[in-house]
Amino acid sequence: MKLLAGCALALYACGGDLASPFSAVAITFDVNKQAFKLAQVRLNSLSSLRHLRGSAGDVTAGGKVRVSSVAARASGATVESLRSAFIKTQPSQVEIAWNVLNDIVYPEDFASLELLSTYYNMEKARAELANLGLTTLPARPIVAHAELTNENGISPLPDGELYYAPMATFFAPATTAQQAVPPAFNLGAVAHALGHQAVEELVWGGTPLPSPETGTDNEARHIARALSEGVGDYLGVAVSNDPHWFDHSLQVEPAERALDQIHCSSQDMLDALPVDDATAPFDPYPLGSVIASALWEEASATTAQNTSRGVLAALGDLGTKAASGLTLAVILDTLAAHSPDDQRADLCDIFFNRFEQMGIKAADLPSCGKAPLQRTECQ
Amino acid sequence: MIAALVLTLLAQTDPTPFWMPPPPPEKKESKPAKKKKKPPPVQVKPLEVPAPMWIAPNGDTQRGHSTVTPNVDKSVDDLPGVSRERASEPVAPAAVPSEVRMPKPIAPPPQPVLPPPEPTPIVVEQEPERIADVRHWTIDATFGAWGSARSDGGGRSWDLAYGLRGGYALENLEIELQLARAGGGSGSPFVSASATRNLVATRLFWVLGDRLALLLGGGGGVALSQTHYSLLPSTDSGAVASGLDAIAIKGVIEITAAARARIFRGLEARAEVSTLLRDGRLELLPLVAVGAAF
């Protein structure tokens, strides 16, 4: 009897692992109440809760990464070669601690809660994108709390971005006292990062950087950046169903990127496209917000899922057109071409109005087929 | 004449005349002798004195009791060829004929019954002290830290730990009950979690040493884990944090090495390091303890 009790204690003390599906407590956002909360969620893709391994990505933590923009632009650079060159100290395997009460997993400490919530948001965002038709997006490593710096000693993701394209890796920064909501807890931020990955994988073929980044055409480079931010912003809002997801995590001008307001292009945006970054660093967010808000305006007015399916379907088509160069007109026409038939005319009208200041005309969007209606928002 | 006068003067200066025996030496005033315990009386074997041999008038010889004065009448002295002096002189044994019967030796008196020797004082004083040093029960207050590996692989986090332990000693074994509690929190103003662990364990030690001892052993028990989550629902300044609690029990296996010093009588100090296996993770629990043994 004592032997049996000892064996039971040993097994109990040694613990075990848990695989999906199971329920757990994680940090989520209630859009209706506009409030974060600790909620019971369902995790469906984990093969190991202990080490946070699953089809949404393997989570590791720590390590030192020192990136080089010069090396990322070098010809022949690949994601694998850059990972080998940039990672100075490998991240370590995570060890989640949890308690199980009534078949619900409760993370035992803050780090476990943070990591589990990060994985949950990644799983949920990927599942939403899969429901919208994007099932081929490969899972990429998720590294939490890494020490990430560039050659100047500052982070290459200074505004809390989660995805670093040259290494095709998600970096989840550690929670700091200055941060409102860690981006990894923010479903919109995670979906935005997945939008960047989708553009990199589907449009630019999974290369470390978009091809215009290694060329000399400033306009093509800046349009590529704006496209990535615009698609990311739209998918963030579409997945989280929260046009203000920026407010929770962005510390600089979050309201200017909210998508429930009209964003109009401007002559300044057009003038900024050909300017060299050495002269005036290009800000891709304003133009990206114009693209995203136009898509969201149509999505919110009709069926958001259909609009989102069209956007994701357009990414692959843009990839085929990337070799010949992506202009703003090509991007807008491709998005219009992949929008649902019942939404296309309305979306075209929005595009003509929003991008009128940048010279977009009916002839530039052949997919729209007819003369636009006169909208007055951005005139 | 002069010589006689000188002798007379010398005789007057010397208190003791030469014809008198010298005076006894002066008794020195010495400290009274310590009372020494009389050694046990030694049984002295009485000397075997051969009995005097008497010559009877018929020429035969006869031995009498050696301790008895020869029964000699005055009339015997008058016998021809017999003198008292010769009768009192012992006859050489070699001259005794073989057929002469020897008197049996007198049986020694029975030995006196001696009291049993008393134990030496040293032994008498040490015995009760050794008995008093055997202390079976111990109780200590413990302080230290509970180190658990961080979930994100960032080393080990240490939380203040404190508790109690009580034990019972059996020869070289000691069985004890350990109670320990540790807790700590982390996070941000937006979201945080504090975890508290309460350990109840029984341990068995092999004790090497006495006043300074090394204790090696281990045991098992359970740890009650409590986690309190705190979350601000929004980033608004007036937002009120909401909380959630989770409590669970987990098994613990423990291996411990400890050093113990009995400082003064029952006052003891301990230092120990335990390795805990809890939920598949190795945790460290270094503790110092102060308490009493009785």
Side-chain angles (χ1 to χ4, degrees):
Chain A
M1 191 64 186
K2 291 179 180 177
L3 183 63
L4 286 176
C7 291
L9 179 65
L11 287 174
Y12 199 39
C14 289
D17 208 344
L18 200 59
S20 291
F22 60 85
S23 296
V25 167
I27 298 173
T28 63
F29 185 72
D30 188 331
V31 177
N32 295 327
K33 295 181 180 178
Q34 283 292 301
F36 282 89
K37 62 181 180 180
L38 288 161
Q40 178 182 336
V41 300
R42 192 79 174 164
L43 283 153
N44 297 305
S45 65
L46 271 175
S47 57
S48 168
L49 171 61
R50 177 76 66 190
H51 304 306
L52 282 183
R53 292 179 185 144
S55 59
D58 292 346
V59 180
T60 54
K64 287 185 179 179
V65 179
R66 184 176 173 83
V67 305
S68 166
S69 56
V70 175
R73 284 183 168 81
S75 61
T78 64
V79 168
E80 291 302 323
S81 68
L82 293 179
R83 283 179 183 170
S84 302
F86 291 170
I87 296 176
K88 304 304 178 187
T89 304
Q90 289 289 341
S92 56
Q93 181 176 260
V94 300
E95 292 276 347
I96 299 298
W98 71 89
N99 301 317
V100 177
L101 296 171
N102 300 324
D103 294 332
I104 301 172
V105 169
Y106 289 78
E108 188 180 272
D109 51 32
F110 177 74
S112 295
L113 175 68
E114 183 182 20
L115 295 171
L116 186 62
S117 298
T118 298
Y119 185 88
Y120 165 72
N121 283 313
M122 182 64 71
E123 179 190 285
K124 184 172 182 179
R126 287 179 60 85
E128 291 292 334
L129 293 180
N131 289 337
L132 297 174
L134 185 57
T135 57
T136 58
L137 197 62
R140 294 302 187 186
I142 305 165
V143 183
H145 307 175
E147 185 181 321
L148 179 64
T149 57
N150 61 13
E151 56 267 58
N152 297 320
I154 59 175
S155 172
L157 306 174
D159 296 324
E161 301 96 323
L162 294 172
Y163 187 70
Y164 184 65
M167 296 176 66
T169 301
F170 294 92
F171 288 97
T175 302
T176 62
Q178 291 77 27
Q179 245 170 350
V181 177
F185 294 173
N186 192 330
L187 180 62
V190 175
H192 174 91
L194 281 172
H196 279 292
Q197 184 198 353
V199 171
E200 296 292 335
E201 304 274 358
L202 301 178
V203 177
W204 308 113
T207 55
L209 290 174
S211 54
E213 292 287 348
T214 57
T216 56
D217 187 348
N218 290 329
E219 187 168 339
R221 181 186 305 131
H222 296 156
I223 287 176
R225 294 179 190 174
L227 169 67
S228 185
E229 295 299 338
V231 172
D233 279 3
Y234 171 76
L235 290 179
V237 173
V239 168
S240 64
N241 198 27
D242 179 15
H244 286 271
W245 67 263
F246 314 93
D247 297 353
H248 319 307
S249 298
L250 293 183
Q251 299 171 40
V252 180
E253 302 172 343
E256 294 183 6
R257 290 173 64 185
L259 298 191
D260 58 352
Q261 58 184 334
I262 294 174
H263 291 260
C264 299
S265 64
S266 65
Q267 185 64 42
D268 291 342
M269 293 181 191
L270 184 64
D271 295 341
L273 287 177
V275 178
D276 190 356
D277 286 326
T279 305
F282 179 73
D283 182 2
Y285 294 110
L287 182 54
S289 293
V290 177
I291 298 172
S293 66
L295 293 170
W296 180 247
E297 184 176 345
E298 177 59 26
S300 58
T302 55
T303 304
Q305 287 84 355
N306 292 340
T307 306
S308 299
R309 285 177 186 275
V311 171
L312 292 174
L315 294 180
D317 196 10
L318 287 172
T320 59
K321 297 176 180 176
S324 56
L326 293 180
T327 62
L328 180 60
V330 171
I331 292 171
L332 296 177
D333 185 60
T334 305
L335 289 171
H338 287 84
S339 64
D341 293 340
D342 58 341
Q343 296 181 7
R344 186 175 302 122
D346 196 29
L347 181 62
C348 286
D349 286 343
I350 295 172
F351 279 162
F352 288 134
N353 180 259
R354 301 293 184 270
F355 291 96
E356 185 179 5
Q357 298 296 321
M358 295 186 74
I360 298 297
K361 298 181 174 59
D364 297 323
L365 305 181
S367 299
C368 291
K370 62 180 180 65
L373 299 175
Q374 291 298 317
R375 299 178 72 108
T376 59
E377 293 90 350
C378 290
Q379 287 183 341
Chain B
M1 186 62 182
I2 294 172
L5 184 60
V6 170
L7 287 173
T8 304
L9 290 172
L10 288 174
Q12 289 181 350
T13 56
D14 192 350
T16 305
F18 65 90
W19 60 87
M20 294 184 66
E26 292 183 355
K27 292 183 179 177
K28 294 181 180 177
E29 290 184 358
S30 59
K31 294 178 180 177
K34 291 181 180 176
K35 284 187 176 179
K36 292 184 179 177
K37 291 187 177 292
K38 291 182 179 180
V42 179
Q43 178 61 37
V44 180
K45 190 176 181 181
L47 291 173
E48 294 182 5
V49 180
M53 196 163 48
W54 303 93
I55 301 172
N58 55 1
D60 198 0
T61 59
Q62 177 180 339
R63 283 185 181 271
H65 295 288
S66 60
T67 55
V68 179
T69 304
N71 188 12
V72 180
D73 293 338
K74 289 183 178 178
S75 58
V76 175
D77 293 338
D78 298 334
L79 292 175
V82 177
S83 66
R84 287 183 77 91
E85 286 76 13
R86 287 183 61 191
S88 62
E89 290 178 3
V91 178
V96 178
S98 60
E99 62 269 15
V100 174
R101 292 182 295 164
M102 299 295 291
K104 294 181 180 179
I106 299 172
Q111 293 184 355
V113 178
L114 299 176
E118 296 179 359
T120 59
I122 295 175
V123 174
V124 171
E125 291 175 0
Q126 283 183 344
E127 191 67 20
E129 187 176 352
R130 193 168 66 87
I131 292 172
D133 195 41
V134 177
R135 301 170 189 275
H136 290 288
W137 295 95
T138 57
I139 185 167
D140 299 273
T142 58
F143 308 91
W146 189 318
S148 53
R150 289 177 56 90
S151 300
D152 59 1
R156 195 171 290 275
S157 62
W158 294 93
D159 298 324
L160 176 67
Y162 55 91
L164 284 173
R165 59 153 301 282
Y168 182 77
L170 292 167
E171 296 292 336
N172 290 329
L173 293 177
E174 184 169 304
I175 185 169
E176 72 169 44
L177 177 67
Q178 181 189 26
L179 306 174
R181 179 182 174 90
S186 60
S188 71
F190 168 70
V191 57
S192 63
S194 59
T196 304
R197 296 174 290 276
N198 300 287
L199 173 67
V200 181
T202 56
R203 304 188 293 183
L204 186 65
F205 287 104
W206 180 258
V207 182
L208 302 171
D210 186 15
R211 288 187 178 277
L212 294 174
L214 177 67
L215 291 82
L216 301 173
V222 294
L224 180 69
S225 177
Q226 299 171 282
T227 303
H228 176 76
Y229 310 95
S230 178
L231 174 70
L232 279 173
S234 72
T235 54
D236 298 338
S237 57
V240 178
S242 60
L244 180 68
D245 290 284
I247 301 175
I249 296 177
K250 293 182 178 179
V252 173
I253 292 177
E254 187 174 357
I255 297 174
T256 302
R260 184 191 69 193
R262 294 271 164 81
I263 302 169
F264 176 72
R265 294 184 182 275
L267 180 63
E268 70 170 24
R270 286 175 177 243
E272 67 173 51
V273 178
S274 300
T275 300
L276 308 177
L277 178 62
R278 185 178 70 93
D279 194 23
R281 306 204 305 179
L282 286 178
E283 300 176 338
L284 293 177
L285 185 60
L287 296 171
V288 294
V290 177
F294 49 90

